[in-house]
Structures are given as C-alpha cells and as structure tokens.
C-alpha cells in the first residue's frame, strides 16, 4: 500500500472544497515544548498534543486546500503521496516513531459538517497499530463513547470522553481504543470555519495475485 493516499470528503459536506493560496511554512514553538496529554479510561488509550506551531499549521492548511481534491461520499481510489502529505507523515514519524502508509482526509466546510459514531476497525488495518489523527483549521469537539454505553440497549454507564481537536494538533488513538470506543465529530452550528482532518493509518500490504 505504501505510496498512496485516499482522499474522501466529510459526511454531508458542501462547498467546492478548494481555496487556492500558498504561504511559506514558518517555524512554530519547538515541539519538545508542547505538553502531551495522556487520556485513559477502560480500554481507551489516547495521547493529545500540538504537533505544529501556529505558522506552520497555517501554511499546511493552505497547502492542503490548494493541493487536495475532495470527493463527495467515500472513495477508495488511492492517489500518490503529495509533498504536503509526505511532510506531515515525516513529522509524525519523527515525533511518534510510527510510520504510516495510508491517510484518509476529511474536509468539513463548517460546523454543519460532521461524522457520526463509528470505530476505525477496517479489516485491512495492521492489528493493534495506532491511528494518528492530525487536524487543521477550525477547532472542533470530538467525542468517544464506550460500546457498552451506547443508545437504548446500553448495558453500562460509562461517561463519554470529550476532547477538542485544535489547529495543528495530533491525537494518537492507540490499541485497544478502537475495539471498545466509538468516536464522532458532532455538529457545532456556531463553527463557521472549515476544518481538515487526516487520519494516518498502517494498512496491511495487499496480496496482488
Ligand atoms: O474528523 C475527524 O476528526 C475524524 C475523522 C474520522 O474519524 C475518520 O475519518 O474515520
Ligand atoms: Mn474514525
């Protein structure tokens, strides 16, 4: 799978998905000075931090707006890696020690665009591998809900875990989070600005016969 990227639009997105403008990347505060937050609950293992300083995050956001073409609905047509995605992937490798061979990109035009509760449990994922979620643009709420505490048939009362994913942030979702916890990006009508999220994953090599 290495060398490809899949681009996908956010659920119920609108707009034309393009904003051509390019800014020079600039240095932000050193990454080592950014505090890391460990978030743990039963079966939940997350790590949150700012990965990019403000100026660099702004530049990456503009570059993504310029270079990434979005599709309505879901597409599994893989595309070659482009420089801005390689840049983020390399920073992730430096910062986390993990290498990723796949990225799924969602663009939310504003707070109306959202993604419903789901788990990232595709059978093609390398078992127990972490997922790195990198966000740019509008800060949005992100909610985790335990599988036993969802809906009318809930068997346990486990408090949802709510985070805010800021511009330039990284959320590492580590094993076994996606076994037990669903996540969602709820509607937030007060949010008027766009947001781009990239989830970097480790996919198993496809056996070409
Ligand atoms: O937009 C986000 O922060 C999450 C996207 C997501 O969960 C997904 O693409 O599977
Ligand atoms: Mn997901």
């Amino acid at each position: 799978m290495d060398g490809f990227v899949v681009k996908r639009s956010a659920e119920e997105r609108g707009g034309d998905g393009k904003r051509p403008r390019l800014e020079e990347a600039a240095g932000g505060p050193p990454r080592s000075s950014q505090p890391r937050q460990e978030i743990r609950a039963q079966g939940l293992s997350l790590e949150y931090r700012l990965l990019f300083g403000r100026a660099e995050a702004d530049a990456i956001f503009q570059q993504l707006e310029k270079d990434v073409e979005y599709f309505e609905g879901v597409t599994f047509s893989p595309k070659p890696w482009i420089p801005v995605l390689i840049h983020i992937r390399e920073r992730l490798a430096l910062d986390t020690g993990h290498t990723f061979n796949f990225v799924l990109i969602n663009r939310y035009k504003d707070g109306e665009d959202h993604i419903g509760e789901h788990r990232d449990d595709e059978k093609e994922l390398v078992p127990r591998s972490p997922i790195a979620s990198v966000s740019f643009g509008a800060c949005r709420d992100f909610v985790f809900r335990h599988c036993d505490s969802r809906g009318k048939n809930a068997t346990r009362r486990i408090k949802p875990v709510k985070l805010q994913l800021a511009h330039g942030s990284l959320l590492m979702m580590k094993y076994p989070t996606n076994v037990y916890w669903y996540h969602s990006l709820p509607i937030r009508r007060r949010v008027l600005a766009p947001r781009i999220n990239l989830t970097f994953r480790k996919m198993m090599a496809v056996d070409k016969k």
Side-chain angles (χ1 to χ4, degrees):
M1 285 299 293
D2 202 11
F4 291 95
V5 59
V6 163
K7 302 160 188 173
R8 186 184 81 167
S9 70
E11 267 180 26
E12 293 156 46
R13 65 171 289 274
D16 62 9
K18 291 193 175 192
R19 283 183 175 215
R21 200 145 59 91
L22 174 62
E23 285 177 6
E24 288 249 303
R31 286 189 305 291
S32 54
S33 71
Q34 303 292 351
R36 290 161 194 235
Q37 199 187 340
E38 295 265 358
I39 303 140
R40 293 269 165 89
Q42 38 193 301
L44 183 95
S45 177
L46 306 171
E47 199 177 298
Y48 177 83
R49 79 194 83 150
L50 286 179
L51 183 64
F52 296 102
R54 179 66 193 245
E56 193 178 7
D58 286 353
I60 292 171
F61 181 75
Q62 297 298 334
Q63 193 77 51
L64 290 166
E65 289 289 62
K66 183 168 167 281
D67 292 350
V68 178
E69 186 189 347
Y70 295 90
F71 299 88
E72 291 291 340
V74 179
T75 176
F76 289 105
S77 123
K79 306 284 178 209
W81 287 88
I82 55 174
V84 63
L85 299 178
I86 293 169
H87 177 72
I88 303 168
R89 183 170 76 154
E90 284 176 356
R91 180 66 64 84
L92 280 173
L94 268 179
D95 205 272
T96 69
H98 289 283
T99 50
F100 298 94
N101 61 3
F102 183 94
V103 62
L104 190 57
I105 309 177
N106 289 307
R107 183 179 189 274
Y108 305 85
K109 71 177 186 312
D110 56 26
E112 286 280 352
D113 277 355
H114 61 284
I115 193 158
E117 277 187 2
H118 67 281
R119 289 178 297 178
D120 295 340
D121 58 357
E122 293 84 5
K123 60 182 186 326
E124 297 83 6
L125 287 168
V126 171
R128 300 182 176 218
S129 58
I131 293 181
S133 168
V134 185
S135 298
F136 298 97
C139 181
R140 292 283 296 263
D141 293 339
F142 198 61
V143 181
F144 286 88
R145 202 178 295 278
H146 194 279
C147 57
D148 292 347
S149 64
R150 298 174 69 234
K152 283 191 210 134
N153 301 325
T155 53
R156 294 203 283 170
R157 273 198 205 167
I158 301 171
K159 271 201 334 194
V161 172
K162 299 182 183 178
L163 311 174
Q164 291 197 319
L165 303 183
H167 185 41
S169 69
L170 164 64
L171 177 69
M172 287 295 282
M173 292 188 260
K174 302 186 206 171
Y175 181 83
T177 301
N178 271 299
V179 177
Y180 301 109
W181 293 77
Y182 285 68
H183 55 266
S184 65
L185 186 93
I187 293 176
R188 291 291 180 260
R189 296 213 161 82
R190 265 180 281 181
V191 176
L192 304 177
R195 168 177 183 269
I196 297 173
N197 174 263
L198 306 96
T199 46
F200 287 82
R201 300 151 192 250
K202 296 189 199 205
M203 305 294 264
M204 289 185 291
V206 180
D207 194 8
K208 284 190 196 141
K209 287 188 179 152

